[in-house]
Amino acid sequence: MKKFFKYIISFVIGVGIGNLIELFISMLLGKLMVGVPEFVNSQSSLLNAKIIETILYGGFGIVANFLGGKITYENLSKNTIIHFLGMVIYFSITGLYLKWFASISSLIIPLVSFTLIYALIWYIIYRTEKMEVQKINKKLNEINKE
């Protein structure tokens, strides 16, 4: 039940991030964008398009959580690469389905952007975890000195 709750939270986080990105793009364009017009027009209704987008945005959170749960600190590099590749595959498939890219060749710039954002997030999480380990080690050293 605890794992199920974590996946629900991950889904909600994915939806939130996806909708924030959509809002940011709308602000940049100066008009409300519910999705790429080619995708929205291919659906039976705007509501149907938004439901599909929401489910796929949530999928980012679920995929990240699932793959993140497989990461061990024994081989952080290997596990990070596996996590990254899983996220890139999900990003690419979702982007093609939602018509974010006109073709596979038009994936290059979005993949570079995705990679840079992924690296930034990874670095922030890594530094946060490293600082937490340092705090724990400091407390353990203080206990051992007593």
Side-chain angles (χ1 to χ4, degrees):
M1 189 64 162
K2 193 175 182 180
K3 271 190 176 182
F4 178 75
F5 185 68
K6 283 180 76 173
Y7 282 111
I8 294 295
I9 297 296
S10 298
F11 180 85
V12 170
I13 290 170
V15 169
I17 292 170
N19 282 309
L20 284 173
I21 292 169
E22 206 170 78
L23 177 63
F24 180 70
I25 291 170
S26 292
M27 289 168 44
L28 284 175
L29 297 175
K31 63 181 180 176
L32 179 63
M33 296 294 296
V34 176
V36 175
E38 291 81 7
F39 172 72
V40 174
N41 294 336
S42 72
Q43 300 303 307
S44 59
S45 70
L46 184 60
L47 177 62
N48 192 44
K50 189 60 182 170
I51 290 169
I52 292 169
E53 283 183 344
T54 300
I55 291 168
L56 292 174
Y57 292 164
F60 277 102
I62 290 174
V63 170
N65 185 333
F66 175 77
L67 293 172
K70 305 298 179 197
I71 292 178
T72 60
Y73 291 101
E74 289 83 41
N75 196 336
L76 188 58
S77 297
K78 176 184 162 193
N79 291 318
T80 299
I81 290 168
I82 291 168
H83 187 272
F84 172 74
L85 290 175
M87 292 303 295
V88 164
I89 290 167
Y90 187 81
F91 173 78
S92 300
I93 291 169
T94 299
L96 287 169
Y97 182 76
L98 294 176
K99 302 188 187 311
W100 293 343
F101 328 112
S103 65
I104 291 179
S105 63
S106 64
L107 266 166
I108 294 169
I109 291 174
L111 282 177
V112 169
S113 299
F114 181 88
T115 301
L116 293 173
I117 292 167
Y118 185 94
L120 176 64
I121 293 169
W122 184 92
Y123 179 75
I124 290 168
I125 291 170
Y126 176 78
R127 293 293 300 167
T128 303
E129 292 293 322
K130 187 174 181 175
M131 287 175 13
E132 188 64 29
V133 168
Q134 288 172 340
K135 282 182 193 175
I136 292 169
N137 285 338
K138 184 178 178 182
K139 286 183 182 181
L140 286 172
N141 285 335
E142 289 170 4
I143 291 170
N144 287 336
K145 288 180 182 179
E146 293 175 4

